[in-house]
Amino acid sequence: MSSPIGNQSEAVCIVQLTDSHLYASPDADLLGLDTYASLRAVVDLVLDQVPKIDLVLATGDITQDGDERAYRRFIDTVEPLPAPCYWIPGNHDDASIMARLGTDEGLSEEWVDAGNWRIVLLDSSIPGAVPGHLSGQQLNRLQRAIDSADERFVMVCLHHHPVPIGCDWMDPLGLLNAEDFWSRLQAAERVKLVLWGHIHQELDQQRDGIRLLATPSTCVQFARHSSDFATDTQAPGYRMLRLMPDGHIETRVSRLESGRFLPDPGAVGY
């Protein structure tokens, strides 16, 4: 666990960046969209819009190809953000490379205490597979984090969606053992928020009194409520959260200007 961030009587400002899908080559693109350029543009937008940041969360699919050069490019790109960054793997990532680099660079933690909140960082990736699963080790991490949080409120971060999102093609690619996950949360009154990436779209729901948030990708967007794979023309973006000391959550999604980064409209998968 890292050293606590901020004072427990103050709000915590968090920026979530997710699904940047960088490649070893800075010139590569995903479905016709330059993912490196779009990430840089989103970081510039954060710098313009959020004057004080306490921490940055990168919630998986940092890279598309799992190459170490792509991870180092991500680290260099987010370095101008004036806050520590923590990351978790997604299905396109190489979790072992992320763990090694994350240990060296201070990006990998089991959980982080910030203000009056504990932020739990889970690895839901399955090597070589698209859906997610939380191993017994990860579920035990979650339980330890909840049990030792004392009076802090708890936010849980993972890559894969733990609830259906209304996309026929995407719903089977979420967290396969979601009920194991929810069984740990339902008995924990201090858990207030679950945050994820993976779905390349904005979502804001509630389950059992817990806020559920997902965030647009910094590159390609997926169409909501689609039966088959479909991209969307909405712009890349990020999420800002303010976690208040009384457990209240303020959040908004911000996007780049419309039309600046668009994927190939004929894309049928990636």
Side-chain angles (χ1 to χ4, degrees), residues 240-268:
M240 188 276 290
L241 304 102
R242 284 177 60 81
L243 306 182
M244 311 303 286
D246 64 356
H248 180 65
I249 302 156
E250 298 176 357
T251 187
R252 62 171 169 78
V253 165
S254 294
R255 297 179 185 266
L256 299 172
E257 60 269 30
S258 180
R260 183 172 173 188
F261 291 98
L262 293 173
D264 178 358
V268 296

Side-chain angles (χ1 to χ4, degrees), residues 17-267:
L17 304 173
T18 196
D19 297 272
S20 50
H21 290 272
L22 300 183
Y23 290 86
S25 169
D27 301 322
D29 64 67
L30 177 67
L31 305 181
L33 190 150
D34 186 334
T35 60
Y36 182 36
S38 65
L39 176 62
R40 296 199 313 268
V42 170
V43 168
D44 287 344
L45 184 65
V46 173
L47 290 169
D48 183 59
Q49 292 184 339
V50 189
K52 181 182 181 299
I53 308 168
D54 292 297
L55 62 99
V56 177
L57 296 175
T59 51
D61 282 0
I62 310 298
T63 72
Q64 175 70 7
D65 56 10
D67 191 282
E68 182 167 337
R69 290 167 292 180
Y71 292 112
R72 294 193 180 279
R73 187 169 299 113
F74 177 86
I75 294 170
D76 290 344
T77 304
V78 303
E79 193 275 334
L81 295 173
C85 179
Y86 302 97
W87 66 14
I88 54 177
N91 50 287
H92 285 274
D93 287 312
D94 187 315
S96 61
I97 292 178
M98 287 184 67
R100 174 168 54 82
L101 290 178
T103 299
D104 293 342
E105 303 288 342
L107 291 104
S108 296
E109 294 286 350
E110 292 190 344
W111 60 76
V112 178
D113 287 340
N116 199 35
W117 287 75
R118 171 160 290 179
I119 300 160
V120 187
L121 303 168
L122 299 178
D123 177 1
S124 60
S125 65
I126 305 171
V130 178
H133 181 272
L134 289 172
S135 67
Q137 180 183 40
Q138 294 297 310
L139 291 170
N140 288 338
R141 172 190 297 188
L142 173 60
Q143 194 66 58
R144 291 198 314 274
I146 292 172
D147 290 346
S148 63
D150 296 323
E151 296 303 309
R152 294 182 188 271
F153 297 103
V154 177
M155 175 171 77
V156 182
C157 303
L158 70 166
H159 181 67
H160 293 82
H161 48 293
V163 293
I165 63 166
C167 282
D168 291 345
W169 70 276
M170 176 64 86
D171 276 338
L173 305 178
L175 187 66
L176 297 178
N177 61 333
E179 291 309 312
D180 292 335
F181 173 70
W182 282 108
S183 70
R184 307 296 178 111
L185 303 189
Q186 286 164 342
E189 294 182 1
R190 305 296 286 184
V191 177
K192 298 295 182 184
L193 174 60
V194 179
L195 182 74
W196 66 86
H198 190 50
I199 66 174
H200 290 234
Q201 58 193 263
E202 181 179 355
L203 180 143
D204 188 343
Q205 295 180 355
Q206 295 267 346
R207 171 169 168 163
D208 299 328
I210 298 173
R211 188 90 172 263
L212 311 177
L213 296 173
T215 297
S217 165
T218 65
C219 60
V220 174
Q221 309 304 303
F222 295 160
R224 300 179 68 192
H225 307 302
S226 56
S227 296
D228 299 312
F229 176 89
T231 60
D232 195 278
T233 58
Q234 290 196 84
Y238 72 96
R239 181 180 292 279
M240 188 276 290
L241 304 102
R242 284 177 60 81
L243 306 182
M244 311 303 286
D246 64 356
H248 180 65
I249 302 156
E250 298 176 357
T251 187
R252 62 171 169 78
V253 165
S254 294
R255 297 179 185 266
L256 299 172
E257 60 269 30
S258 180
R260 183 172 173 188
F261 291 98
L262 293 173
D264 178 358

